[in-house]
Amino acid sequence: MEGKMSWTVADAVDYKGFPADRSKTGGWVPAALVLGIEICERLSTMGIAVNLVTYLVGVLHLPSSTSANVVTDFMGTSFLLCLLGGFLADSFLGRYKTIAIFAAIQTLGTGALAIATKLPQLRPPPCHASASHTCKPANGFQMGILYVALYLIALGTGGLKSSVSGFGTDQFDDKDEKEKAQMTYFFNRFFFFISTGTLTAVTVLVYLQDEVGRSWSYGICSVSMFVAILIFLSGTKRYRYKKSIGSPIVQIFQVIVAAINKRKMELPYSVELLYEDTPEAQRIHHTDQFQFLDRAAIVAEGDFERNVVSAPNPWKLCSVTKVEEVKMMVGLLPVWATTIIFWTTYAQMITFSVEQASTMERSIGGFLIPAGSLTVFFVAAILITLAVYDRLIMPLWKKLKGKPGFTNLQRIAIGLVLSTLGMAVAALAEKKRLAVARTVGATTTTLPISVFMLIPQFFLVGAGEAFIYTGQLDFFITQSPKGMKTMSTGLFLTTLSLGFFVSSFLVSVVKKVTGSNDGQGWLADNINHGRLDCFYGLLAVLGVINFVLYLVCAVWYKPKNPKPALQMETIVNGSSAENKC
């Protein structure tokens, strides 16, 4: 019996619900089948996002500010729906069913987008705007079809992001040394596939959209995802399945509801009188922060279910440890809030910066660089920054300070500074571009100024992403309770979502405040007639203000059970790869 048990994985089952046989399930091969889903998701999402603004402006004839908001709302919704996907996977469906269902939804979405960009009836008639003639924009029905397609893709993406990496790691037993080493290899390949999907999207896919046709490009995405689903389903009998343990979101609501219901009760004079049922080794000691939540641990009449001695109603009474876990999550919120502005800055790189590029000289010999492909400098900046940090800065910092690199809060600070500098540089570059536009005429299709002038802003914001993404992920993982790591990662991902939504809100406000009846202002319908440099300058100023607030929050924050800072390489190849959307 002992020999037989050694061949099973303690916390996993096979597709029939029996204990998973180590020799017949899991391992690298089933995990590899999951990776096809990830590369197709990256291909679709990034291929659409980085070049969508040119379609909205050039084909659907929407104003530049409206186009930017369509893109940022789409991306923001995609990241926000990660929380929904994670909740469904943890509480009801499990990761396998979640992946299969949401991958199918994304396939439908990309297929619908291919149709929407193919049929002439779903877009306004072609025309070229001039000073005396404005093009007819897409009507409500045409935009409605586009929105249905985009938000099907956003729904599919959100569900996939929450489960793909986790289901891949479920195929390995971290209690087995050999499989633990294989898991590290999976992390490496996962990050490689993310990078591959992104690079392919911003180069090959964007080129196909501009030179062959968007319907062909999106059709390729749909077909490739359908094939990836078939490959994924082919491994059903080989996968290991881990039981859902419930969503930590429920625990957070339980503590809040219990505390609100007991808001009029006085806290006991000693914390020893608060309810605690967690085993000694897993307990978290009581803290004095956010004392309002301590009321959830006050024992009152009716807290225990009838005929049950040891199990209280979790919506009425929570243990001190559960309360402290929620306190830890609440303590992350100030730092969380002050990192949102970075992703607002990031949003400009795939909207207005791409639109800038579309007006500039992009030829190299006889080859015309697609405007959306300028975002490849993002990927380059990230990879270069990670390499320099890992090979140069970390050894030097360890030699000087005796520490293995910057702390997570320091990395976040560096990312915020670089993004603010990126916006300042972007404002200067746009000022130069507008000067050229005024000289040759704002209606000129291609301005005689090189698109490579935009590279510094892409590099600065891209380098900032390398620091802030790894710093945020390190911070949210190491400073969150053990049982809420997934929830904490979801909280981190909402900063991306809210950053895009804040961008949409800011664009709308600036458009309304600075605009006029003829469609001019900072964010004019045609950016050659606007003052995008002022908008970038505003973001730079907001970045400075936000950085000051961040420093206050970082000083206020008291680390809970501090762990050694995760090295950049570990974050990128490990946790980041596991959780990156």
Side-chain angles (χ1 to χ4, degrees), residues 79-80 83 336 340 343 489-499:
F79 284 110
L80 189 62
L83 292 177
W336 168 84
I340 292 172
W343 300 105
T489 303
L491 186 66
F492 151 58
L493 292 173
T494 59
T495 64
L496 282 74
S497 173
L498 291 176

Side-chain angles (χ1 to χ4, degrees), residues 259-306:
I260 291 175
N261 289 337
K262 296 178 178 179
R263 62 188 178 279
K264 296 181 180 179
M265 298 182 68
E266 293 291 330
L267 287 169
Y269 64 88
S270 172
V271 296
E272 300 296 329
L273 299 176
L274 295 174
Y275 177 73
E276 179 62 277
D277 64 349
T278 309
E280 185 69 35
Q282 300 173 20
R283 290 182 183 179
I284 300 177
H285 295 298
H286 177 267
T287 62
D288 292 329
Q289 279 188 315
F290 313 116
Q291 288 188 348
F292 170 78
L293 295 175
D294 288 338
R295 288 175 169 79
I298 299 175
V299 180
E301 186 178 353
D303 286 348
F304 289 84
E305 303 286 359
R306 292 182 179 181

Side-chain angles (χ1 to χ4, degrees), residues 76-86 102 151 154-159 162 497:
T77 303
S78 297
F79 284 110
L80 189 62
L81 287 171
C82 287
L83 292 177
L84 172 64
F102 285 94
Y151 286 97
L155 179 60
T157 299
S162 63
S497 173

Side-chain angles (χ1 to χ4, degrees), residues 536-559:
Y536 283 155
L538 174 63
L539 283 170
V541 172
L542 291 176
V544 172
I545 296 171
N546 179 77
F547 181 68
V548 173
L549 293 175
Y550 169 78
L551 291 179
V552 173
C553 295
V555 171
W556 171 84
Y557 181 77
K558 305 299 181 187

Side-chain angles (χ1 to χ4, degrees), residues 88-100:
L88 292 176
D90 289 342
S91 303
F92 302 105
L93 298 175
R95 287 169 173 164
Y96 172 80
K97 290 181 180 178
T98 301
I99 292 172

